[in-house]
Amino acid sequence: MQAVFEAYLRCRKVTTDSRACGPGTLFFALRGPSFNGNDFARDALAQGCVLAVVDAPSLKGVDGCYWVPDVLEALQELATWYRRQSGVQVVGITGSNGKTTTKELLAQVLARKYRVWFTQGNLNNHIGVPLTLLAMPPDTEVAVVEMGANHVGEIAALCQIAQPDCGLITNVGKAHLEGFGSFEGVKKAKGELYAFLNEGLRTIFVNAGNPHLKAMLGVHYNRALKYGEGEDSLLRVSAVTAEPFLRFSWQMEGACGLQRVETRLSGRYNLENALAAIMVGLHFKVPFEDIKIALESYAPANHRSQVVNTGRNQVLLDAYNANPSSMAAALAHFAGLDHPRKQVVLGGMKELGQDSLAEHLKLLALLQELALSACWLVGLEFKDLLPEEEGWLWFADAAAVAAYLREHPVKDALVLVKGSRANRLETLMGGL
């Protein structure tokens, strides 16, 4: 692998896409269910890449190719090597909900004092984490690395690659049950981050108001840096409002006076994400005023917790992802908002496996309990579940909703649009 290390240090640009292989790139010929990167190694070299890392026996000895037994393992080994060489402080993040928002808030807070790199987009798996580390600029001081998983064992493997110095689990909920098998499986998988951090007595940040996280830490809970609304939190919060933007006051025990923050995040459920960013910022000695500036200047994007005034309606757009816990939090927040005309558009929740029907029925019961009567349900998960009540409609997909909106426009309403990414509910914004 020495030749690969040396090539990386010369170019510092890694790709797994042969179409992106310009001069000075290092190409890793990964395999997938429907492709084999080895087939494109010669194309990558023709485009100017400095080295193609391959594992096809037919490419052994080919000029410009470096053969390894497994290209993915080589990519991960290079990333781990570079992470150790870099001396960068790595903050690891995982969780069922809020990973992306928390990651971006942390990065914004830390960037007030440090040169920061963070996971771009959803590059948070066994391929994305290595690519994130290898994309760090040479002068990076702190990296915020998001770790995603849908099977037990994956977070543990990502920790071995990223070697986080500190980290947090945003929360645990019923997400990816198809892969984890149960809620206990979710906790076991996400808890692999705690296990890694505990092994080296590394710093752990924890929401003191989350009983699941407290139980998962066990005896290590006492040494964790606690934030949130729990009684033993070091970071206290008060005067919380969300109409619709999240605003609150906070105070660090023995460190500062009361600080007021007015964010552009919608929903009280984002409070734990903001407090995590404050706690990590304080740990890294970011000044109080800089934390405030960072939080107040952060604007959510990519269809996550956005408040959009369309000219016809005010839309709370949260169509990036959905699972039972995030749905319940979004609906509880929406139900508490004061508006004479509310409209809910919900997409089906994915990857729930055998629990899918039960969880969608629970969601419908919650909608009725919250008296949210103007409800449009989208996706096959809701088919045949529609209550026989006025104001409830079912649509097969987002295209059907868009067609209905053209004939039955919604005006002067407060609209919640929430669903799993596969529903593509963000495409409705033109009609709302």
Side-chain angles (χ1 to χ4, degrees):
M1 283 288 289
Q2 188 62 35
V4 178
F5 297 157
E6 292 173 358
Y8 170 73
L9 290 176
R10 289 198 307 273
C11 66
R12 292 187 179 275
K13 186 177 180 182
V14 172
T15 184
T16 60
D17 185 348
S18 62
R19 296 166 297 183
C21 278
T25 56
L26 182 58
F27 174 63
F28 281 80
L30 294 179
R31 300 171 183 262
S34 57
F35 68 90
N36 186 341
N38 291 279
D39 296 338
F40 305 100
R42 287 185 170 88
D43 292 339
L45 291 167
Q47 293 178 59
C49 82
V50 297
L51 194 70
V53 182
V54 299
D55 54 16
S58 61
L59 293 174
K60 276 187 177 181
V62 172
D63 190 35
C65 290
Y66 185 90
W67 188 87
V68 295
D70 187 293
V71 170
L72 176 58
E73 289 182 6
L75 176 68
Q76 294 169 342
E77 183 181 342
L78 175 63
T80 303
W81 172 83
Y82 178 54
R83 183 264 173 277
R84 287 173 173 157
Q85 294 291 317
S86 69
V88 169
Q89 287 281 302
V90 174
V91 183
I93 297 179
T94 191
S96 298
N97 304 311
K99 289 190 300 295
T100 300
T101 298
T102 303
K103 169 196 71 181
E104 293 179 356
L105 286 170
L106 286 185
Q108 191 132 328
V109 167
L110 293 171
R112 298 294 300 180
K113 183 175 180 180
Y114 302 94
R115 291 183 291 275
V116 174
W117 182 248
F118 63 98
T119 301
Q120 306 296 299
N122 61 350
L123 291 175
N124 63 7
N125 64 5
H126 61 298
I127 298 171
V129 168
L131 291 176
T132 294
L133 294 169
L134 292 169
M136 289 190 300
D139 64 348
T140 300
E141 295 175 301
V142 181
V144 182
V145 178
E146 179 182 335
M147 301 179 186
N150 52 28
H151 289 87
V152 171
E154 291 179 335
I155 297 296
L158 295 179
C159 285
Q160 291 301 320
I161 296 169
Q163 299 281 309
D165 300 284
C166 58
L168 64 93
I169 301 174
T170 56
N171 49 54
V172 285
K174 294 180 179 180
H176 302 296
L177 292 182
E178 203 166 47
F180 292 129
S182 66
F183 183 44
E184 289 304 311
V186 173
K187 290 192 288 185
K188 181 180 179 181
K190 302 301 182 183
E192 290 165 5
L193 175 58
Y194 283 163
F196 178 86
L197 296 172
N198 285 331
E199 186 178 332
L201 294 180
R202 298 170 173 90
T203 301
I204 294 173
F205 310 98
V206 64
N207 181 356
N210 189 311
H212 297 298
L213 299 181
K214 183 174 182 177
M216 287 162 61
L217 271 173
V219 296
H220 291 278
Y221 177 77
N222 292 329
R223 72 175 190 86
L225 298 181
K226 306 169 187 67
Y227 61 88
E229 297 180 276
E231 291 183 1
D232 53 354
S233 175
L234 298 172
L235 180 62
R236 299 304 179 91
V237 63
S238 60
V240 182
T241 61
E243 289 282 345
F245 293 113
L246 176 67
R247 296 174 170 87
F248 61 93
S249 297
W250 64 271
Q251 185 173 12
M252 183 66 172
E253 189 175 275
C256 63
L258 203 62
Q259 310 287 318
R260 184 68 179 168
V261 175
E262 299 187 359
T263 79
R264 287 191 274 175
L265 293 161
S266 72
R268 199 182 194 284
Y269 52 85
N270 271 306
L271 178 63
E272 62 184 9
N273 303 329
L275 293 178
I278 294 171
M279 188 77 247
V280 175
L282 292 173
H283 175 70
F284 280 89
K285 297 181 169 52
V286 178
F288 306 142
E289 184 59 31
D290 282 330
I291 292 175
K292 175 181 174 69
I293 292 170
L295 293 180
E296 294 189 339
S297 61
Y298 173 75
N302 200 21
H303 322 308
R304 289 180 290 103
S305 299
Q306 291 178 263
V307 179
V308 182
N309 288 304
T310 66
R312 298 178 295 276
N313 302 288
Q314 186 176 54
V315 181
L316 305 186
L317 178 61
D318 196 358
Y320 182 78
N321 208 350
N323 55 52
S325 51
S326 69
M327 278 286 203
L331 288 170
H333 164 66
F334 187 69
L337 296 177
D338 184 20
H339 196 281
R341 187 179 183 197
K342 293 181 183 179
Q343 173 77 53
V344 176
V345 182
L346 295 185
M349 299 177 287
K350 309 298 182 181
E351 297 184 58
L352 293 179
Q354 63 183 9
D355 294 321
S356 181
L357 176 60
E359 292 298 337
H360 283 88
L361 286 171
K362 287 180 186 177
L363 182 58
L364 294 182
L366 177 61
L367 284 165
Q368 292 174 305
E369 179 185 332
L370 295 173
L372 295 172
S373 55
C375 301
W376 295 0
L377 308 178
V378 185
L380 296 179
E381 294 85 359
F382 290 115
K383 190 177 182 182
D384 302 323
L385 301 183
L386 193 71
E388 294 182 1
E389 299 177 21
E390 186 178 353
W392 291 70
L393 295 174
W394 175 79
F395 302 89
D397 52 31
V401 182
Y404 185 84
L405 277 170
R406 287 193 288 271
E407 299 295 325
H408 306 85
V410 174
K411 293 183 179 179
D412 302 320
L414 178 64
V415 185
L416 172 65
V417 178
K418 174 76 175 171
S420 289
R421 183 70 188 87
N423 294 293
R424 301 182 68 244
L425 296 185
E426 72 279 359
T427 60
L428 301 177
M429 292 303 291
L432 290 171

